[in-house]
Amino acid sequence: MSKIRKNYCGSSEHEVSRRQFLGSAAGGIAGASLLAQESLSAELKKQGKSVILLWLAGGASQFETFDPKPGAVTGGPFQSIQTSTPGVRISELMPKMAARFKDTCVIRSLNTRNGDHGSASQLMMRGRKDEASLKYPDMGAVLARELGKPESQVPDYVSFYLQTEGRNFSGSGFLGARFGPMELSKSVMPENINKPDHISEIDFHDRMALRNLWSKNFEQGRVSGTLASHQQAYLRVNGIMDSQKLFDVTKEPQKIRNQYGPTQFAEQVLIARRLAESGVPFVRVGRAWWDSHGQNFETHQELVPELDHVMATLLTDLEDRGMLKNTLVVTLSEFGRTPGINSSLGRDHFANAWSCSLSGCGIKGGSVFGKTDERGDKVVEGEIGAARLFATIYKALGINPQKNYYVGSRPVPLTDPGTEPVKEVLA
Amino acid sequence: MNYTSYKVDKNLNRQDILFTVARVPNSSKAYVAGSDFKIHEIDFDNPKPDLRSFPAHSSYVTALILKDDTLISGAYDGKLSWWKASTGEKIKTLDAHKKWIRQAALSPDGKLFASVADDMALRIWDIKDGKMVREMTGEHKPLTPNDFQSMLYACAFNKDGKLVASADKTGHIVVWETHTGKKIATMEAPIMYTWDPSARRHSIGGPRSLAFSPDSKLLAVGGTGTIGNIDHLEANGRIEVFNWEKSERVHEFVTDKSKGLVEHLEFHPDGNILLGAGGAGEGFLAFIDLKEKKVAHQEKAAMNIHALASTDGMKSLLAVGHHRVLHFKMA
């Protein structure tokens, strides 16, 4: 358990919350204490907002997705197609997203200056580089903390990454293990949350009932935050054990499963929707591996139509359920791909002018922000880096990007100091 | 043939990536096309400037067929266009396929040509009137076993034109009877197709070239080997030779000095030598001695070779590919 700041001023702003206590108790925050503006986020938590991040690991090509350059020497063989927004065109590999572009904003002006898989992945998951003495939390950990409800009985942060290439970039940093991801790397079903086989269902419930009885008896006449937290932790573990059914895609009607399609990525995204629907604030679905140094066009012919179908199905499904206004769907990679086409007909790593998309909650749909030049070599309008992208994502969710966490007595804003969200992207 | 005596006597740099070539008989002229969507007439003895360039398609041009003064082009836009070669005048354009046209092959009598595309159809066309005379579908599945789009990469006629073969991404190869459209044999070359189920979860590879032996008994299939890291074309080039009537693989050859795809295959008229050409980061020529059953000679090329056209019993090889045209001349 971490120390409470010695210069605690007694204000509600600096009060240690049950959540912080739980966080510290569960994971520990080495050498740091956390104090944040909980009161400001109480309302936000009530709104039940969620983020589904479609993480296109390895680096999807902007030319073959959201920023096509047909006819340019760098453009490759694909044409562009008209979206539902007049004048906005995306790759012909994305006809379904083109038809339902109304909820999506494409950002075409990322310049993140890092073309290394490992450190670029960390950058695009955290919104900034770690410091030598300070590990920043990734987007999932921040949103688990900001959007997760203390009384929630589902996980706050779930990460699917079933492929083996490109893992190990996420982390809850100074927020500690309490806000770390439930990682699913072997199967879409969580491991180690089942009751032991040697305990029967009846025995399990009897034990829980007995523990509850003793706990309530002990609590009688006592007012203690520690006791409440203890009880909350048990409820939470029980809830997570119970949430296994959310990961069981066979519980979903066959009609819906058919809509998403048969691929592993489709199945995970459908589960992500189930999780969001049940109050999980952040789900990342890792879809590896887009690193097309050879045969870029063949690779994107496989992966982009799958992305197009699954993403469009997800957005429609969220809309049909009335969830889209409170669910932000992000497609993001660690970087894009080079304008130049190499001799293996591949594209290499390129972080100077690439694209991502934001759809749904808080986003100005049917829009494009930023512009690259005719060849896609550089950004010519609206250049932004990871920090502004993250500030925009947080703002879209109603979170102040300049909100401070405290590591010791050091205030640490959610995004780099002074970073402004991109207003043009926000609804 | 003296396959060790080839020398590059013409080496032309280009801005575009070339995917196809058709040579003008008895001359140093040829038509080339590729990534700039245009057709270029070149004279590799007098390389600059191009003799003529004209916009042809709305995507990469991947097939050129030349018969007398008729030039036919096919492209990733799914269209086939007929041109008057001597003037560059367009005669007509057909919406020939619903997806990318990958390759085309001229029948030996010059009356027909075949096209294959990612709509998984092999179509036979009358070169004069442009009418489709045959369509072979249903044998090459539109989806791979892992539910991703498949591709139909290669086609070739045999020497008398009565047979035509096709090969798809998963390594499924079919021999058809040209004049009936009837399937008469199938073969599999699964090593050429790599599906990575765990690390990267997509695929790479697939057969890219086909050639019948002069006696029509053998069918050679060119591609690449099983790839470990599918980010790259890191396996050696691979050629499998089938006794197609028995659907039996009788030889397999690996270009152990070069990596990448074998994108062109061609038997020497005597039937004893098989030429494979292709590449990845760099290119290669591989000469296979079928009597000795070995890769007899390998020649590095300064570019990944996407297509090649030979004349004079392989004494002259005009290769096109990544930003370059190379002419190999046998001493």
Side-chain angles (χ1 to χ4, degrees):
Chain A
M1 179 179 158
S2 62
K3 293 177 182 176
I4 296 172
R5 289 171 59 218
K6 288 178 180 173
N7 57 347
Y8 170 53
C9 67
S11 71
S12 61
E13 195 175 27
H14 289 169
E15 194 175 23
V16 178
S17 72
R18 179 177 59 194
R19 168 171 287 281
Q20 287 159 356
F21 176 85
L22 269 173
S24 303
I29 306 167
S33 66
L34 279 175
L35 294 167
Q37 300 110 323
E38 288 293 316
S39 58
L40 293 174
S41 62
E43 180 56 32
L44 189 62
K45 292 173 190 291
K46 283 182 197 170
Q47 294 172 6
K49 291 185 176 176
S50 294
V51 171
I52 297 174
L53 169 61
L54 307 181
W55 178 251
L56 311 181
S61 168
Q62 66 280 10
F63 293 95
E64 279 73 46
T65 52
F66 294 119
D67 194 11
K69 303 288 181 187
V73 67
T74 54
F78 298 104
Q79 296 299 301
S80 66
I81 52 172
Q82 178 65 51
T83 68
S84 53
T85 298
V88 174
R89 301 177 74 86
I90 59 176
S91 169
E92 65 172 320
L93 293 172
M94 306 193 80
K96 293 172 183 174
M97 278 306 301
R100 62 133 25 262
F101 197 68
K102 64 187 177 67
D103 299 305
T104 297
C105 174
V106 166
I107 296 174
R108 287 176 170 162
S109 50
L110 287 168
N111 182 359
T112 50
R113 299 183 173 86
N114 186 335
D116 169 71
H117 284 298
S119 54
S121 294
Q122 290 189 356
L123 174 66
M124 298 315 297
M125 285 309 305
R126 290 158 171 71
R128 54 191 157 187
K129 286 187 201 171
D130 283 339
E131 297 173 23
S133 59
L134 188 63
K135 302 285 185 202
Y136 288 107
D138 66 19
M139 186 195 302
V142 169
L143 295 178
R145 190 174 191 283
E146 295 302 312
L147 301 178
K149 297 173 185 168
E151 71 279 11
S152 172
Q153 295 190 21
V154 293
D156 289 330
Y157 176 2
V158 176
S159 175
F160 294 94
Y161 203 110
L162 269 61
Q163 289 84 63
T164 57
E165 189 67 20
R167 286 181 183 167
N168 301 324
F169 50 78
S170 62
S172 52
F174 64 73
L175 287 180
R178 165 63 184 83
F179 298 105
M182 174 191 273
E183 296 266 16
L184 289 99
S185 58
K186 292 179 181 170
S187 139
V188 294
M189 293 298 286
E191 295 179 294
N192 304 319
I193 67 169
N194 292 332
K195 65 175 179 53
D197 287 341
H198 65 274
I199 299 175
S200 71
E201 200 70 36
I202 294 172
D203 193 14
F204 178 75
H205 287 289
D206 284 351
R207 288 180 187 207
M208 286 299 294
L210 184 61
R211 196 208 66 79
N212 284 337
L213 178 67
W214 284 345
S215 183
K216 281 181 183 170
N217 286 342
F218 187 77
E219 283 179 26
Q220 280 181 357
R222 294 182 171 92
V223 178
S224 164
T226 304
L227 283 176
S229 291
H230 192 74
Q231 179 72 351
Q232 192 73 49
Y234 267 101
L235 288 172
R236 184 171 179 78
V237 168
N238 206 29
I240 288 173
M241 291 176 74
D242 217 29
S243 68
Q244 192 176 22
K245 63 181 178 298
L246 296 175
F247 295 87
D248 184 354
V249 77
T250 65
K251 304 288 186 196
E252 198 69 20
Q254 190 61 46
K255 181 183 170 190
I256 301 293
R257 293 178 67 186
N258 291 345
Q259 285 171 359
Y260 277 80
T263 64
Q264 185 189 70
F265 177 59
E267 189 173 82
Q268 291 171 82
V269 172
L270 175 53
I271 295 170
R273 193 273 290 154
R274 287 171 62 80
L275 293 168
E277 195 171 29
S278 300
V280 177
F282 185 85
V283 186
R284 175 178 52 225
V285 182
R287 182 24 171 142
W289 181 249
W290 296 70
D291 198 19
S292 49
H293 294 287
Q295 300 283 289
N296 173 75
F297 308 118
E298 320 291 301
T299 299
H300 282 74
Q301 272 188 308
E302 285 198 328
L303 298 182
V304 182
E306 181 192 43
L307 171 67
D308 178 54
H309 174 78
V310 173
M311 184 180 172
T313 303
L314 172 67
L315 294 178
T316 300
D317 192 11
L318 291 170
E319 185 177 41
D320 290 348
R321 290 164 194 273
M323 293 172 61
L324 192 53
K325 65 180 185 300
N326 282 324
T327 307
L328 176 61
V329 177
V330 180
T331 61
L332 187 62
S333 300
E334 63 263 47
F335 41 61
R337 304 214 74 84
T338 48
I341 297 162
N342 67 32
S343 59
S344 293
L345 298 180
R347 295 191 192 269
D348 302 309
H349 304 175
F350 188 64
N352 295 355
W354 59 289
S355 304
C356 69
S357 77
L358 307 175
S359 305
C361 178
I363 296 301
K364 182 181 175 185
S367 67
V368 169
F369 176 77
K371 187 177 175 183
T372 53
D373 66 5
E374 288 181 357
R375 289 169 41 104
D377 287 329
K378 60 186 178 184
V379 175
V380 294
E381 280 180 28
E383 179 175 303
I384 65 167
R388 288 199 73 192
L389 174 65
F390 272 56
T392 306
I393 289 170
Y394 294 149
K395 189 70 177 175
L397 295 163
I399 300 166
N400 175 8
Q402 290 300 304
K403 173 180 177 175
N404 283 324
Y405 291 150
Y406 285 86
V407 179
S409 56
R410 175 185 167 182
V412 180
L414 295 193
T415 56
D416 285 342
T419 305
E420 291 290 325
V422 182
K423 289 176 185 164
E424 294 90 332
V425 171
L426 299 169
Chain B
M1 69 178 288
N2 185 5
Y3 40 70
T4 61
S5 69
Y6 282 102
K7 299 289 179 201
V8 175
D9 68 344
K10 303 292 175 189
N11 183 341
L12 320 177
N13 289 318
R14 294 187 64 86
Q15 296 292 313
D16 45 4
I17 305 166
L18 298 172
F19 297 110
T20 181
V21 55
R23 293 183 72 164
V24 179
N26 306 314
S27 82
S28 55
K29 293 179 183 175
Y31 295 90
V32 298
S35 64
D36 67 359
F37 308 176
K38 294 177 181 172
I39 296 171
H40 305 271
E41 184 183 1
I42 64 168
D43 182 341
F44 55 85
D45 277 345
N46 299 286
K48 290 190 176 178
D50 290 348
L51 299 176
R52 186 167 53 241
S53 297
F54 46 97
H57 289 273
S58 59
S59 189
Y60 286 3
V61 184
T62 51
L64 287 174
I65 299 283
L66 181 64
K67 175 62 181 169
D68 302 327
D69 197 30
T70 300
L71 180 68
I72 297 157
S73 59
Y76 283 172
D77 60 12
K79 297 181 191 302
L80 289 171
S81 291
W82 272 251
W83 309 86
K84 188 173 175 59
S86 55
T87 63
E89 176 194 353
K90 186 190 279 188
I91 300 164
K92 66 178 163 190
T93 294
L94 294 180
D95 289 321
H97 289 272
K98 289 178 182 168
K99 292 185 178 176
W100 288 7
I101 294 174
R102 295 287 187 167
Q103 216 171 73
L106 181 65
S107 69
D109 65 5
K111 293 179 179 172
L112 304 173
F113 72 96
S115 63
V116 284
D118 289 349
D119 57 6
M120 309 313 280
L122 165 66
R123 296 196 169 111
I124 309 291
W125 307 87
D126 186 302
I127 206 162
K128 266 190 177 174
D129 63 16
K131 287 186 177 164
M132 187 176 74
V133 297
R134 205 82 58 219
E135 179 183 54
M136 289 79 145
T137 58
E139 184 62 27
H140 295 288
K141 305 298 179 203
L143 297 178
T144 67
N146 303 291
D147 293 308
F148 292 96
Q149 181 192 317
S150 190
M151 295 146 191
L152 190 53
Y153 281 124
C155 61
F157 283 101
N158 76 330
K159 192 175 180 182
D160 64 11
K162 291 180 178 172
L163 304 173
V164 60
S166 55
D168 70 30
K169 182 170 187 173
T170 64
H172 184 57
I173 302 143
V174 184
V175 176
W176 312 82
E177 210 168 57
T178 307
H179 294 286
T180 64
K182 184 182 167 189
K183 176 184 79 177
I184 54 174
T186 63
M187 288 141 280
E188 307 297 332
I191 294 172
M192 294 185 183
Y193 167 70
T194 301
W195 161 254
D196 177 346
S198 55
R200 294 168 173 83
R201 206 160 181 89
H202 67 91
S203 71
I204 198 166
R208 306 301 176 99
S209 49
L210 292 166
F212 282 96
S213 59
D215 63 5
S216 296
K217 290 182 178 173
L218 301 176
L219 177 63
V221 183
T224 190
T226 300
I227 294 176
N229 174 357
I230 64 170
D231 296 350
H232 305 268
L233 284 169
E234 65 172 22
N236 297 110
R238 181 177 180 82
I239 296 165
E240 299 184 12
V241 180
F242 290 84
N243 176 333
W244 64 267
E245 285 180 295
K246 294 182 178 176
S247 296
E248 179 186 1
R249 188 174 62 200
V250 292
H251 307 298
E252 57 183 69
F253 303 100
V254 173
T255 62
D256 58 353
K257 292 180 181 172
S258 302
K259 296 183 186 304
L261 294 158
V262 176
E263 298 201 54
H264 175 82
L265 277 175
E266 183 173 342
F267 280 87
H268 187 270
D270 70 11
N272 294 325
I273 299 294
L274 175 62
L275 165 64
E282 56 185 12
F284 62 82
L285 300 176
F287 296 89
I288 291 158
D289 188 324
L290 290 163
K291 279 190 173 173
E292 297 290 327
K293 298 181 177 54
K294 66 177 187 182
V295 180
H297 180 65
Q298 295 174 68
E299 191 89 37
K300 294 267 186 191
M303 63 170 181
N304 182 1
I305 296 172
H306 293 307
L308 184 149
S310 72
T311 57
D312 303 330
M314 287 192 186
K315 287 179 183 167
S316 163
L317 309 177
L318 186 64
V320 302
H322 200 74
H323 299 312
R324 206 178 286 270
V325 174
L326 295 175
H327 182 251
F328 296 85
K329 190 174 182 182
M330 189 193 289

